[in-house]
């Protein structure tokens, strides 16, 4: 895989020509950027900016997005900034406009054909596909145990996807003794060569036993069966080393800049 050409393909297919990431949301190009807009429990934000975006245009675009999302009553939205985006000081301009930078993540991509697809689990752990409301509740519980954050938005988004667009989504649980210990999901983007891995997290007592790797292999097998060429991950510092060992290549970094109307 050539990193430079793969990054250009990712920018073109997944950002400039982004697809809605769930039912009831819309993606639109306005001026020099592409954004997604949905309800309060959906992901709202900017996913792409034109490579030739200049400083003055950037300030105007930032102000326009603040106006757009706040006029809809959203408490927050995100500007997904990549290290190679222009202008070079866009992050500083976002901060000056009231955005807060969250921890950066590494954009990692691998060719599906090069990834392991054999699922190996520790004794007493089994995988379950999430297909109904009961499975979603277990997934939310696993998410909250792994990340320590509220899973209400995940519940809303997963139920909507299973109800209205199940063919573009895959979710899986790792269960031990009837209790969820890990979960993960995969976004499928028809018409592109990419599938995205999201939300992989394991409860602290179960980390270091290969469950995270097993969830990667499980989703890689699904991606291969459905004809996708690439898997993409926005990886934290905790998961990036595992993904690199599995064959993922770093293409860039991405930093969420979040605008909140209330502290």
């Amino acid at each position: 895989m050539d990193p430079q050409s793969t990054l250009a393909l990712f920018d073109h297919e997944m950002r400039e020509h982004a697809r809605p990431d769930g039912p009831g949301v819309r993606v639109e190009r306005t001026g020099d950027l592409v954004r997604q807009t949905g309800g309060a429990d959906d992901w709202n934000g900017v996913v792409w900016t034109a490579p030739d975006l200049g400083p003055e245009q950037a300030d105007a675009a930032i102000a326009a997005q603040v106006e757009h999302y706040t006029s809809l009553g959203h408490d927050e939205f995100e500007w997904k900034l990549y290290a190679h985006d222009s202008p070079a000081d866009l992050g500083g301009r976002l901060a000056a406009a009231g955005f807060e930078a969250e921890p950066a993540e590494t954009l990692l991509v691998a060719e599906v054909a090069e990834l392991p697809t054999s699922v190996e689990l520790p004794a007493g752990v089994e995988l379950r596909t999430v297909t109904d409301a009961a499975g979603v509740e277990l997934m939310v519980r696993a998410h909250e145990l792994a990340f320590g954050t509220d899973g209400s938005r995940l519940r809303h988004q997963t139920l909507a996807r299973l109800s209205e667009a199940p063919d573009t989504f895959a979710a899986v649980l790792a269960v031990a003794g009837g209790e969820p210990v890990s979960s993960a999901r995969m976004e499928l983007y028809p018409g592109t060569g990419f599938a995205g891995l999201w939300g992989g997290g394991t409860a602290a007592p179960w980390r270091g036993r290969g469950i995270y790797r097993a969830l990667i292999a499980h989703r890689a097998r699904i991606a291969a069966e459905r004809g996708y060429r690439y898997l993409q991950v926005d990886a934290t510092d905790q998961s990036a080393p595992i993904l690199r060992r599995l064959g993922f290549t770093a293409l860039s970094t991405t930093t969420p800049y979040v605008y909140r109307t209330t502290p």
Side-chain angles (χ1 to χ4, degrees):
M1 181 177 67
D2 176 64
Q4 185 173 356
S5 62
T6 305
L7 179 60
L9 181 65
F10 175 83
D11 282 342
H12 178 75
E13 292 194 347
M14 299 295 291
R15 300 182 64 206
E16 184 179 3
H17 298 280
R19 277 73 168 167
D21 71 358
V25 303
R26 68 182 186 274
V27 172
E28 56 194 356
R29 181 163 183 168
T30 173
D32 292 314
L33 58 81
V34 174
R35 69 189 179 201
Q36 175 171 295
T37 305
D41 288 324
D42 297 309
W43 186 88
N44 290 276
V46 175
V47 297
W48 178 84
T49 53
D52 58 352
L53 183 68
E56 292 184 4
Q57 295 93 333
D59 288 340
I62 291 168
Q65 302 324 300
V66 171
E67 170 63 23
H68 169 72
Y69 288 107
T70 57
S71 69
L72 295 174
H74 290 313
D75 293 334
E76 66 176 54
F77 73 96
E78 179 181 322
W79 191 300
K80 196 165 177 59
L81 177 67
Y82 289 77
H84 58 287
D85 286 347
S86 296
D89 64 349
L90 183 53
R93 293 176 182 276
L94 289 167
F99 288 74
E100 295 181 9
E102 297 193 341
E105 299 171 325
T106 303
L107 171 63
L108 293 165
V109 173
E111 293 198 52
V112 173
E114 302 300 321
L115 292 174
T117 56
S118 176
V119 176
E120 300 178 6
L121 291 164
V125 177
E126 63 174 343
L127 295 189
R128 296 183 187 175
T129 302
V130 177
T131 60
D132 55 20
V136 172
E137 290 306 313
L138 290 174
M139 184 177 183
V140 169
R141 192 187 311 169
H143 172 89
E144 293 177 341
L145 288 171
F147 297 106
T149 56
D150 181 73
S152 300
R153 180 173 290 185
L154 175 64
R155 178 184 294 108
H156 162 81
Q157 294 174 348
T158 306
L159 287 171
R161 183 63 65 87
L162 289 176
S163 173
E164 301 181 43
D167 292 339
T168 63
F169 178 82
V172 60
L173 286 164
V175 179
E179 291 297 315
V181 298
S182 184
S183 67
R185 61 192 190 276
M186 179 167 62
E187 303 282 348
L188 303 168
Y189 305 101
T192 78
F194 290 87
L197 302 185
W198 299 94
T202 303
W206 290 89
R207 292 172 188 164
R209 306 192 194 187
I211 296 175
Y212 182 83
R213 292 192 300 273
L215 296 180
I216 296 289
H218 174 81
R219 289 174 289 169
R221 185 169 61 194
I222 295 173
E225 291 170 351
R226 300 196 185 185
Y228 286 88
R229 182 176 179 182
Y230 299 104
L231 281 183
Q232 167 261 323
V233 189
D234 292 345
T236 64
D237 290 343
Q238 184 175 1
S239 59
I242 303 172
L243 292 161
R244 289 176 186 270
R245 288 195 295 270
L246 290 173
F248 283 78
T249 298
L251 302 185
S252 186
T253 60
T254 177
T255 303
Y257 277 81
V258 181
Y259 187 93
R260 296 181 175 90
T261 58
T262 56

